[in-house]
Amino acid sequence: MLFANGVNPHEWWAKGEGEAMELSSTLQPLAAFKRDITVLRDLHVFNNTSGPHWPLFSNYLSGAQFKETLIPEGGESLDQVIARHTGRETAVPSLVLAVEPAESGLRSGVPGVYYSTVSWSSKNTPIAPEVYPRAVFDRLFDTSGLLRDKSVLDAVLAQSKDTRRSLGAQDQQKLDEFMTSVRDLEQRIERATKAERLEGWRPTLAKPNMERPAAELPQDVREHMRMMLDLILLAWRMDKTRVATLIFNRDVSHMKFGFLDGVLNEQLHSISHHKEDPKKLASYQRINQFHVEQLAYLMQRMKQVDEGGGTTMLDNVILQFGSNMFNGDSHDGRNLPMVLAGHGGGSIAGGRVLDLSRKAEEQQRACNLYLTIAQRMGVKLERFGDSVGALSGLMG
């Protein structure tokens, strides 16, 4: 879960451990969940630590050096690395969601998508996030379109065998790449339409416990965010997917938060450039706190889901929450404001601050965290991005 444009740097901190942990005003919504969170300090995406917005956003989940080219070029993101592994067991490999729609065309000479997605299935393939709740719901539960696609795939697979014999080596490679994506779709159809699971574990819900959302885009930001969080919870309860990414605001966000008491009715991006102005700083902090409230809402709902053996869903998930920069006024990509919530199946203790400020620079790389999360999700991976190894002190 990502919110854009950083935090009020004076009001993002945590101290101590367990129930004695002290939280800043911004993190106060998590007061009831102190034992379920790990607050990270001095974690950085080193490839881009300052400068224009887009390198600090597009590479948030990859740590890649994104190129200032007309054709998108970056690196595969953490969520998609995990999805390639866990997606073999679920109807939908991953959900990529947002509350603000992706940009198209160019902005400041680079692809506009750099400002509006952090999910990449390859270095040249950004995934535009879905903003319509109904479309998300239908992707999870409407398999009629997949069944129609199956007959088309059968014909494509048959024709490809005849076509391949007449192609040169380079064209055969291109055809093989295309057919890989076709086979991925074929496997998705099979998973999504099978009647019974073969695994011992059973989801906590057999049918959706929410109505199909309206076709229109929600006009209230609060309603939109909660609906997306509810859809993630529903997808996980029914084991439709095991990976989800939610962008609360795209970079250089146009979103306004005048509905919050005491908040200036200006765009988030403008407020983040506060220049130490007290009114803007106060608005900035309250907007940050609002985003933390969304995390608290999801955690509370997950804590109410009994998954057997004395555990709740919150015990069995890893939620990564934060922003792509620290102080939006200086575009500071060091010391990312980041909270991990949940216990990862008992492997993350929680109730602490993991302070990396005294570690060597190579130990402060965000990609070390991403590698650790991927490994905990069962991905056999020795490196990710610019990682040098698992994040010391997180698991155990």
Side-chain angles (χ1 to χ4, degrees):
M1 289 178 283
L2 172 68
F3 60 96
N5 301 140
V7 297
N8 177 336
H10 309 295
E11 292 297 333
W12 184 279
W13 54 264
K15 302 174 184 176
E17 298 182 352
E19 292 299 331
M21 182 187 289
E22 298 177 49
L23 300 173
S24 67
S25 59
T26 298
L27 294 176
Q28 270 303 310
L30 300 177
F33 305 100
K34 290 179 181 177
R35 294 190 178 276
D36 301 308
I37 61 172
T38 300
V39 181
L40 295 160
R41 182 181 171 192
D42 270 290
L43 203 64
H44 323 297
V45 174
F46 276 97
N47 279 328
N48 295 297
T49 55
S50 63
H53 273 267
W54 62 266
L56 298 170
F57 192 85
S58 49
N59 75 343
Y60 178 73
L61 285 184
S62 68
Q65 182 70 54
F66 277 64
K67 301 294 179 63
E68 194 169 354
T69 57
L70 298 181
I71 298 174
E73 185 174 345
E76 187 176 20
S77 54
L78 171 70
D79 58 329
Q80 297 308 301
V81 169
I82 296 173
R84 278 194 288 108
H85 174 75
T86 61
R88 292 175 294 190
E89 308 295 336
T90 58
V92 178
S94 74
L95 291 178
V96 179
L97 313 178
V99 180
E100 279 190 295
E103 291 191 41
S104 58
L106 297 176
R107 177 197 276 265
S108 302
V110 298
V113 72
Y114 280 180
Y115 294 84
S116 46
T117 190
V118 294
S119 296
W120 295 72
S121 59
S122 75
K123 71 175 185 177
N124 299 116
T125 314
I127 301 176
E130 180 57 67
V131 297
Y132 282 86
R134 172 173 283 193
V136 180
F137 187 90
D138 287 351
R139 185 171 185 225
L140 293 172
F141 302 110
D142 182 5
T143 60
S144 58
L146 293 178
L147 290 170
R148 287 193 299 270
D149 288 342
K150 194 173 191 316
S151 61
V152 177
L153 287 179
D154 290 340
V156 169
L157 289 169
Q159 291 175 12
S160 69
K161 294 176 182 178
D162 294 332
T163 303
R164 197 177 193 282
R165 297 190 189 98
S166 62
L167 297 177
Q170 188 173 359
D171 287 333
Q172 283 186 9
Q173 182 179 350
K174 291 179 180 179
L175 179 62
D176 289 343
E177 290 173 356
F178 170 73
M179 293 311 300
T180 296
S181 66
V182 170
R183 281 188 286 272
D184 287 344
L185 179 56
E186 188 180 33
Q187 290 168 1
R188 184 192 160 203
I189 293 171
E190 183 179 350
R191 290 191 299 267
T193 55
K194 68 180 180 181
E196 293 293 332
R197 304 178 60 87
L198 300 178
E199 301 171 42
W201 180 82
R202 289 293 184 270
T204 57
L205 275 182
K207 296 181 179 179
N209 62 349
M210 64 182 288
E211 296 293 326
R212 185 186 186 211
E216 299 78 20
L217 203 63
Q219 295 304 298
D220 187 302
V221 168
R222 293 163 290 189
E223 178 190 355
H224 198 171
M225 288 185 180
R226 290 292 169 93
M227 196 172 292
M228 290 307 209
L229 292 169
D230 289 343
L231 284 164
I232 291 172
L233 181 70
L234 177 62
W236 283 357
R237 288 196 67 180
M238 296 187 68
D239 199 28
K240 292 292 185 177
T241 189
R242 297 175 187 174
V243 183
T245 305
L246 175 59
I247 299 173
F248 289 117
N249 349 90
R250 68 188 181 205
D251 204 27
V252 192
S253 176
H254 297 166
M255 197 174 285
K256 294 183 178 181
F257 294 83
F259 55 82
L260 298 174
D261 290 342
V263 172
L264 297 169
N265 194 34
E266 298 181 16
Q267 293 180 356
L268 172 58
H269 179 229
S270 172
I271 290 174
S272 73
H273 286 282
H274 51 80
K275 305 299 181 189
E276 296 295 330
D277 176 88
K279 290 184 178 179
K280 284 197 170 187
L281 279 171
S283 293
Y284 199 17
Q285 182 277 324
R286 182 63 188 95
I287 294 169
N288 297 154
Q289 183 179 326
F290 172 76
H291 286 120
V292 176
E293 288 167 2
Q294 309 316 305
L295 172 62
Y297 167 79
L298 184 59
M299 291 177 68
Q300 178 61 37
R301 293 213 57 196
M302 287 184 167
K303 203 157 193 173
Q304 295 168 346
V305 178
D306 183 355
E307 292 202 328
T311 68
T312 69
M313 180 180 280
L314 189 59
D315 293 316
N316 295 320
V317 301
I318 301 174
L319 301 176
Q320 180 190 335
F321 171 89
S323 189
N324 58 309
M325 60 179 72
F326 186 60
N327 184 356
D329 198 36
S330 57
H331 294 185
D332 187 358
R334 298 178 66 87
N335 189 19
L336 294 175
M338 195 178 291
V339 175
L340 289 187
H343 297 281
S347 59
I348 303 175
R352 60 193 173 140
V353 178
L354 187 57
D355 187 351
L356 303 170
S357 60
R358 296 186 180 181
K359 298 284 187 179
E361 189 173 84
E362 64 179 15
Q363 299 297 321
Q364 298 172 338
R365 298 178 181 180
C367 284
N368 294 340
L369 169 65
Y370 302 159
L371 175 65
T372 307
I373 293 174
Q375 290 175 341
R376 184 65 190 91
M377 290 296 292
V379 184
K380 296 187 184 301
L381 202 63
E382 294 185 3
R383 291 191 60 123
F384 177 78
D386 63 359
S387 68
V388 296
L391 185 65
S392 176
L394 177 62
M395 299 290 180

PDB file of all heavy atoms in Angstrom, residues 305-323:
ATOM      1  N   VAL A 305     -10.793 -11.954  11.281  1.00  0.00           N
ATOM      2  CA  VAL A 305     -10.930 -13.152  10.447  1.00  0.00           C
ATOM      3  C   VAL A 305     -10.179 -14.313  11.078  1.00  0.00           C
ATOM      4  O   VAL A 305      -8.946 -14.328  11.120  1.00  0.00           O
ATOM      5  CB  VAL A 305     -10.411 -12.903   9.015  1.00  0.00           C
ATOM      6  CG1 VAL A 305     -10.512 -14.173   8.184  1.00  0.00           C
ATOM      7  CG2 VAL A 305     -11.181 -11.764   8.351  1.00  0.00           C
ATOM      8  N   ASP A 306     -10.898 -15.290  11.584  1.00  0.00           N
ATOM      9  CA  ASP A 306     -10.317 -16.473  12.215  1.00  0.00           C
ATOM     10  C   ASP A 306      -9.862 -17.443  11.130  1.00  0.00           C
ATOM     11  O   ASP A 306     -10.660 -17.919  10.324  1.00  0.00           O
ATOM     12  CB  ASP A 306     -11.374 -17.127  13.108  1.00  0.00           C
ATOM     13  CG  ASP A 306     -10.840 -18.342  13.866  1.00  0.00           C
ATOM     14  OD1 ASP A 306      -9.679 -18.746  13.631  1.00  0.00           O
ATOM     15  OD2 ASP A 306     -11.590 -18.896  14.686  1.00  0.00           O
ATOM     16  N   GLU A 307      -8.557 -17.740  11.110  1.00  0.00           N
ATOM     17  CA  GLU A 307      -8.038 -18.677  10.103  1.00  0.00           C
ATOM     18  C   GLU A 307      -7.656 -20.028  10.706  1.00  0.00           C
ATOM     19  O   GLU A 307      -6.940 -20.821  10.089  1.00  0.00           O
ATOM     20  CB  GLU A 307      -6.845 -18.048   9.372  1.00  0.00           C
ATOM     21  CG  GLU A 307      -7.268 -16.883   8.503  1.00  0.00           C
ATOM     22  CD  GLU A 307      -6.283 -16.559   7.393  1.00  0.00           C
ATOM     23  OE1 GLU A 307      -5.065 -16.755   7.580  1.00  0.00           O
ATOM     24  OE2 GLU A 307      -6.755 -16.124   6.327  1.00  0.00           O
ATOM     25  N   GLY A 308      -8.133 -20.299  11.919  1.00  0.00           N
ATOM     26  CA  GLY A 308      -7.910 -21.605  12.527  1.00  0.00           C
ATOM     27  C   GLY A 308      -6.583 -21.692  13.266  1.00  0.00           C
ATOM     28  O   GLY A 308      -5.662 -20.903  13.035  1.00  0.00           O
ATOM     29  N   GLY A 309      -6.498 -22.644  14.167  1.00  0.00           N
ATOM     30  CA  GLY A 309      -5.268 -22.848  14.919  1.00  0.00           C
ATOM     31  C   GLY A 309      -4.914 -21.676  15.819  1.00  0.00           C
ATOM     32  O   GLY A 309      -3.742 -21.482  16.155  1.00  0.00           O
ATOM     33  N   GLY A 310      -5.921 -20.914  16.217  1.00  0.00           N
ATOM     34  CA  GLY A 310      -5.678 -19.768  17.089  1.00  0.00           C
ATOM     35  C   GLY A 310      -5.079 -18.573  16.387  1.00  0.00           C
ATOM     36  O   GLY A 310      -4.574 -17.662  17.042  1.00  0.00           O
ATOM     37  N   THR A 311      -5.119 -18.544  15.052  1.00  0.00           N
ATOM     38  CA  THR A 311      -4.547 -17.426  14.301  1.00  0.00           C
ATOM     39  C   THR A 311      -5.634 -16.652  13.566  1.00  0.00           C
ATOM     40  O   THR A 311      -6.693 -17.192  13.235  1.00  0.00           O
ATOM     41  CB  THR A 311      -3.507 -17.899  13.264  1.00  0.00           C
ATOM     42  OG1 THR A 311      -4.161 -18.636  12.225  1.00  0.00           O
ATOM     43  CG2 THR A 311      -2.437 -18.753  13.912  1.00  0.00           C
ATOM     44  N   THR A 312      -5.340 -15.402  13.296  1.00  0.00           N
ATOM     45  CA  THR A 312      -6.206 -14.571  12.469  1.00  0.00           C
ATOM     46  C   THR A 312      -5.498 -14.287  11.151  1.00  0.00           C
ATOM     47  O   THR A 312      -4.305 -14.584  11.005  1.00  0.00           O
ATOM     48  CB  THR A 312      -6.520 -13.239  13.165  1.00  0.00           C
ATOM     49  OG1 THR A 312      -5.317 -12.442  13.216  1.00  0.00           O
ATOM     50  CG2 THR A 312      -7.051 -13.453  14.577  1.00  0.00           C
ATOM     51  N   MET A 313      -6.226 -13.691  10.224  1.00  0.00           N
ATOM     52  CA  MET A 313      -5.599 -13.328   8.963  1.00  0.00           C
ATOM     53  C   MET A 313      -4.415 -12.393   9.193  1.00  0.00           C
ATOM     54  O   MET A 313      -3.389 -12.502   8.502  1.00  0.00           O
ATOM     55  CB  MET A 313      -6.598 -12.671   8.017  1.00  0.00           C
ATOM     56  CG  MET A 313      -5.989 -12.274   6.675  1.00  0.00           C
ATOM     57  SD  MET A 313      -7.128 -11.491   5.525  1.00  0.00           S
ATOM     58  CE  MET A 313      -7.963 -12.930   4.872  1.00  0.00           C
ATOM     59  N   LEU A 314      -4.517 -11.491  10.167  1.00  0.00           N
ATOM     60  CA  LEU A 314      -3.420 -10.557  10.430  1.00  0.00           C
ATOM     61  C   LEU A 314      -2.153 -11.289  10.852  1.00  0.00           C
ATOM     62  O   LEU A 314      -1.042 -10.815  10.599  1.00  0.00           O
ATOM     63  CB  LEU A 314      -3.833  -9.538  11.492  1.00  0.00           C
ATOM     64  CG  LEU A 314      -2.884  -8.363  11.715  1.00  0.00           C
ATOM     65  CD1 LEU A 314      -2.681  -7.557  10.430  1.00  0.00           C
ATOM     66  CD2 LEU A 314      -3.383  -7.446  12.824  1.00  0.00           C
ATOM     67  N   ASP A 315      -2.295 -12.441  11.482  1.00  0.00           N
ATOM     68  CA  ASP A 315      -1.120 -13.233  11.855  1.00  0.00           C
ATOM     69  C   ASP A 315      -0.419 -13.820  10.641  1.00  0.00           C
ATOM     70  O   ASP A 315       0.775 -14.137  10.698  1.00  0.00           O
ATOM     71  CB  ASP A 315      -1.526 -14.390  12.778  1.00  0.00           C
ATOM     72  CG  ASP A 315      -2.030 -13.911  14.129  1.00  0.00           C
ATOM     73  OD1 ASP A 315      -1.400 -13.009  14.711  1.00  0.00           O
ATOM     74  OD2 ASP A 315      -3.064 -14.430  14.585  1.00  0.00           O
ATOM     75  N   ASN A 316      -1.155 -13.967   9.541  1.00  0.00           N
ATOM     76  CA  ASN A 316      -0.647 -14.726   8.404  1.00  0.00           C
ATOM     77  C   ASN A 316      -0.331 -13.903   7.168  1.00  0.00           C
ATOM     78  O   ASN A 316      -0.040 -14.468   6.115  1.00  0.00           O
ATOM     79  CB  ASN A 316      -1.657 -15.825   8.047  1.00  0.00           C
ATOM     80  CG  ASN A 316      -1.795 -16.843   9.164  1.00  0.00           C
ATOM     81  OD1 ASN A 316      -0.818 -17.223   9.782  1.00  0.00           O
ATOM     82  ND2 ASN A 316      -3.019 -17.263   9.444  1.00  0.00           N
ATOM     83  N   VAL A 317      -0.385 -12.579   7.274  1.00  0.00           N
ATOM     84  CA  VAL A 317      -0.090 -11.722   6.126  1.00  0.00           C
ATOM     85  C   VAL A 317       1.141 -10.861   6.392  1.00  0.00           C
ATOM     86  O   VAL A 317       1.596 -10.727   7.525  1.00  0.00           O
ATOM     87  CB  VAL A 317      -1.280 -10.783   5.783  1.00  0.00           C
ATOM     88  CG1 VAL A 317      -2.525 -11.586   5.462  1.00  0.00           C
ATOM     89  CG2 VAL A 317      -1.537  -9.799   6.918  1.00  0.00           C
ATOM     90  N   ILE A 318       1.665 -10.291   5.316  1.00  0.00           N
ATOM     91  CA  ILE A 318       2.675  -9.231   5.404  1.00  0.00           C
ATOM     92  C   ILE A 318       2.109  -8.040   4.641  1.00  0.00           C
ATOM     93  O   ILE A 318       1.886  -8.120   3.425  1.00  0.00           O
ATOM     94  CB  ILE A 318       4.023  -9.652   4.784  1.00  0.00           C
ATOM     95  CG1 ILE A 318       4.575 -10.903   5.477  1.00  0.00           C
ATOM     96  CG2 ILE A 318       5.035  -8.511   4.876  1.00  0.00           C
ATOM     97  CD1 ILE A 318       5.842 -11.454   4.821  1.00  0.00           C
ATOM     98  N   LEU A 319       1.859  -6.955   5.344  1.00  0.00           N
ATOM     99  CA  LEU A 319       1.380  -5.723   4.729  1.00  0.00           C
ATOM    100  C   LEU A 319       2.516  -4.711   4.741  1.00  0.00           C
ATOM    101  O   LEU A 319       3.038  -4.370   5.804  1.00  0.00           O
ATOM    102  CB  LEU A 319       0.186  -5.151   5.504  1.00  0.00           C
ATOM    103  CG  LEU A 319      -1.050  -6.044   5.641  1.00  0.00           C
ATOM    104  CD1 LEU A 319      -2.099  -5.359   6.509  1.00  0.00           C
ATOM    105  CD2 LEU A 319      -1.628  -6.383   4.281  1.00  0.00           C
ATOM    106  N   GLN A 320       2.903  -4.263   3.582  1.00  0.00           N
ATOM    107  CA  GLN A 320       3.928  -3.224   3.467  1.00  0.00           C
ATOM    108  C   GLN A 320       3.219  -1.912   3.150  1.00  0.00           C
ATOM    109  O   GLN A 320       2.523  -1.793   2.150  1.00  0.00           O
ATOM    110  CB  GLN A 320       4.924  -3.562   2.360  1.00  0.00           C
ATOM    111  CG  GLN A 320       6.010  -2.513   2.192  1.00  0.00           C
ATOM    112  CD  GLN A 320       6.845  -2.754   0.943  1.00  0.00           C
ATOM    113  OE1 GLN A 320       6.943  -3.877   0.472  1.00  0.00           O
ATOM    114  NE2 GLN A 320       7.421  -1.704   0.403  1.00  0.00           N
ATOM    115  N   PHE A 321       3.418  -0.929   3.995  1.00  0.00           N
ATOM    116  CA  PHE A 321       2.694   0.339   3.894  1.00  0.00           C
ATOM    117  C   PHE A 321       3.689   1.485   3.992  1.00  0.00           C
ATOM    118  O   PHE A 321       4.575   1.475   4.850  1.00  0.00           O
ATOM    119  CB  PHE A 321       1.684   0.428   5.041  1.00  0.00           C
ATOM    120  CG  PHE A 321       1.006   1.768   5.196  1.00  0.00           C
ATOM    121  CD1 PHE A 321      -0.168   2.054   4.516  1.00  0.00           C
ATOM    122  CD2 PHE A 321       1.539   2.740   6.034  1.00  0.00           C
ATOM    123  CE1 PHE A 321      -0.798   3.286   4.664  1.00  0.00           C
ATOM    124  CE2 PHE A 321       0.927   3.971   6.190  1.00  0.00           C
ATOM    125  CZ  PHE A 321      -0.242   4.241   5.497  1.00  0.00           C
ATOM    126  N   GLY A 322       3.554   2.502   3.114  1.00  0.00           N
ATOM    127  CA  GLY A 322       4.446   3.643   3.232  1.00  0.00           C
ATOM    128  C   GLY A 322       4.376   4.568   2.039  1.00  0.00           C
ATOM    129  O   GLY A 322       3.433   4.515   1.240  1.00  0.00           O
ATOM    130  N   SER A 323       5.390   5.418   1.912  1.00  0.00           N
ATOM    131  CA  SER A 323       5.444   6.393   0.833  1.00  0.00           C
ATOM    132  C   SER A 323       6.765   6.294   0.097  1.00  0.00           C
ATOM    133  O   SER A 323       7.730   5.699   0.591  1.00  0.00           O
ATOM    134  CB  SER A 323       5.256   7.811   1.381  1.00  0.00           C
ATOM    135  OG  SER A 323       5.105   8.740   0.319  1.00  0.00           O
TER     136      SER A 323
END
